[in-house]
Amino acid sequence: MAELTWHGHSCFTLVTDDGTRLIFDPWLDGNPVADITSDEVGELDYILVSHGHSDHFGDGLKLAERTGATLVATFEIASFAETQGITNVHSMSIGGGFDFPFGRVKMTPALHGGMVDGDESGIFTTVPAGFLLTLPPREGESEPRRLYHAGDTALIMDMQLLRGEVDIALLPIGDNYTMGPADAVRAIDFIKPSVVIPMHYNTFDLIRQDTDAFREAVGNRAEVVILEPGSSYEF
Ligand code: NI
Ligand code: MN
């Protein structure tokens, strides 16, 4: 089983069947709803950063430095990290995929802002992204398990290209900075995942949402799994 744990906002840790440890969009220190601090994150193998905003990249450099994990991000964010002394980086660009030892990672489009936290030069401004992970089938099974972390994004037509490619979709529902619940439901119509786990909501008042209403709006399109910070979903 792979274990996906939400830490609030868009930060998740994932431990794959083979014991590989990943973190998505690390923002724990200063995150008002996080269940742990960055110091409490154990060993890590990969750090996946969807874009450069502080609420996604805030703990990226310090975790990369402490754990030695590979930072997987756009070329611009990876290049900025290198200027900060991080040497273990794997840069990608939208539409590109790579077969890592634990599974495949493809960088998907997102429509959002591109500023990189900590980059005072402004030259590393990036295109925001999402990630599509394809993990190998569980023992005795034939189908891979596909997890989509949308990053911060508006509803975009490009999501239609993900139809049939995603089992579990991590979608922002907070509104204001990303798509809200209604557009997330339309995204589900585009993507047709089996399971949806909402993210990027209830971190602060501006993005407060009612998860019961969201579940009702999704209806029978997909199973909605509501996590609490610190709780996990196994797949
Ligand atoms: Ni953002
Ligand atoms: Mn954000």
Side-chain angles (χ1 to χ4, degrees):
M1 297 290 265
E3 185 177 36
L4 180 73
T5 304
W6 191 44
H7 299 291
H9 212 56
S10 299
C11 182
F12 292 82
T13 46
L14 173 67
V15 183
T16 64
D17 303 54
D18 67 2
T20 305
R21 298 180 53 100
L22 299 86
I23 193 165
F24 291 92
D25 283 358
W27 179 48
L28 299 163
D29 299 344
N31 174 345
V33 297
D35 61 307
I36 53 173
T37 65
S38 69
D39 285 340
E40 292 169 320
V41 176
E43 290 306 299
L44 282 176
D45 301 297
Y46 296 92
I47 300 166
L48 280 67
V49 173
S50 67
H51 65 292
H53 292 164
S54 58
D55 58 323
H56 299 258
F57 184 45
D59 296 334
L61 296 176
K62 77 180 105 163
L63 282 173
E65 190 173 320
R66 174 169 68 75
T67 66
T70 305
L71 178 70
V72 180
T74 59
F75 173 73
E76 291 78 14
I77 292 174
S79 299
F80 172 67
E82 286 179 319
T83 70
Q84 304 300 301
I86 305 301
T87 52
N88 192 8
V89 301
H90 183 110
S91 70
M92 303 183 74
S93 286
I94 304 285
F98 184 79
D99 293 315
F100 289 90
F102 65 88
R104 182 169 177 80
V105 176
K106 186 177 181 185
M107 200 167 255
T108 57
L111 185 58
H112 189 65
M115 194 179 85
V116 175
D117 183 49
D119 168 27
E120 277 159 26
S121 72
I123 63 174
F124 297 102
T125 301
T126 192
V127 174
F131 292 104
L132 176 61
L133 265 64
T134 304
L135 302 176
R138 278 191 296 235
E139 218 172 292
E141 295 184 1
S142 58
E143 297 298 322
R145 291 156 297 160
R146 299 148 323 162
L147 175 77
Y148 170 52
H149 186 298
D152 276 3
T153 185
L155 176 71
I156 49 174
M157 294 296 280
D158 304 69
M159 287 173 177
Q160 296 186 14
L161 298 172
L162 294 170
R163 180 174 300 185
E165 311 263 322
V166 176
D167 300 308
I168 302 161
L170 314 179
L171 300 178
I173 67 161
D175 219 347
N176 196 76
Y177 297 113
T178 66
M179 56 185 180
D183 278 352
V185 171
R186 297 178 73 192
I188 294 165
D189 281 333
F190 284 173
I191 302 165
K192 299 204 177 300
S194 311
V195 172
V196 174
I197 302 176
M199 62 178 182
H200 213 275
Y201 69 96
N202 288 3
T203 320
F204 32 80
D205 282 342
L206 209 50
I207 56 173
R208 199 148 299 281
Q209 296 298 336
D210 179 342
T211 50
D212 289 336
F214 177 64
R215 191 197 299 277
E216 196 167 315
V218 173
N220 59 10
R221 291 174 176 85
E223 179 189 352
V224 176
V225 174
I226 306 294
L227 295 177
E228 296 298 324
S231 72
S232 302
Y233 176 75
E234 292 192 344
F235 63 98

